[in-house]
Amino acid sequence: MIEVGQSLPQVQLSELTADGMVNHEVNTLFAGKKVVLFAVPGAFTPTCSASHLPGFVVNADKFAQKGVDIIACVSVNDAFVMKAWGDAQNAEAIMMLGDGDASFTKALGLDMDTGSFGGVRSQRYAMIIEDGVVTTLNVEQPKQFEVSKAEVILDAL
């Protein structure tokens, strides 16, 4: 598993924008920036939709006030699903990134096999990244939602 002090892996995440599909090189996208990145097991799933993403949406201004350049949500879903979920959640301030083949999630060592629920998915976590280096990493225990909440990450900044 990736650890505090390590650089993010050199992989791509996809984003569906108004201009079409964009494949971002993670190390380029986050270079020179302070980023809050959080991951969910799946778009449109109960805890993710009721609590995790909404916490970052309502606190987006507070993150900006603390110098965060990008708030990004990643899930092992395609960019089309992530865009639809972001639209449904009014998440304009959040970069909704798809990790369709789980390459980013696997490179971090934060993947899990959910079996028939959805196969390979991401563990729930949140991290603070400065210039591509992880400075804070909060990984949830299975079926928990405590350490990756927006409020907890705000307090860590």
Side-chain angles (χ1 to χ4, degrees), residues 25-150:
E25 294 289 339
V26 171
N27 52 340
T28 304
L29 178 63
F30 298 153
K33 296 181 176 74
K34 182 183 273 190
V35 178
V36 170
L37 174 74
F38 66 100
V40 298
F44 292 104
T45 56
T47 301
C48 307
S49 291
S51 302
H52 207 175
L53 178 57
F56 286 93
V57 171
V58 298
N59 286 294
D61 289 343
K62 292 178 184 174
F63 282 102
Q65 291 166 5
K66 291 199 173 199
V68 172
D69 299 299
I70 297 172
I71 304 169
C73 176
V74 66
S75 182
V76 181
N77 289 108
D78 63 57
F80 297 98
V81 169
M82 293 301 287
K83 169 95 169 79
W85 187 41
D87 289 349
Q89 293 280 325
N90 298 312
E92 294 86 14
I94 313 298
M95 183 176 270
M96 303 297 287
L97 299 171
D99 184 20
D101 64 356
S103 59
F104 177 73
T105 301
K106 288 177 181 177
L108 293 177
L110 290 168
D111 55 304
M112 63 178 177
D113 189 345
T114 64
S116 63
F117 171 77
V120 175
R121 295 290 179 144
S122 178
Q123 294 179 51
R124 185 182 305 281
Y125 66 85
M127 63 173 69
I128 300 170
I129 304 156
E130 296 192 38
D131 194 21
V133 176
V134 178
T135 58
T136 301
L137 175 61
N138 293 3
V139 181
E140 296 287 358
Q141 293 299 312
K143 301 189 186 294
Q144 295 296 307
F145 180 55
E146 299 295 329
V147 300
S148 66
K149 293 178 179 181

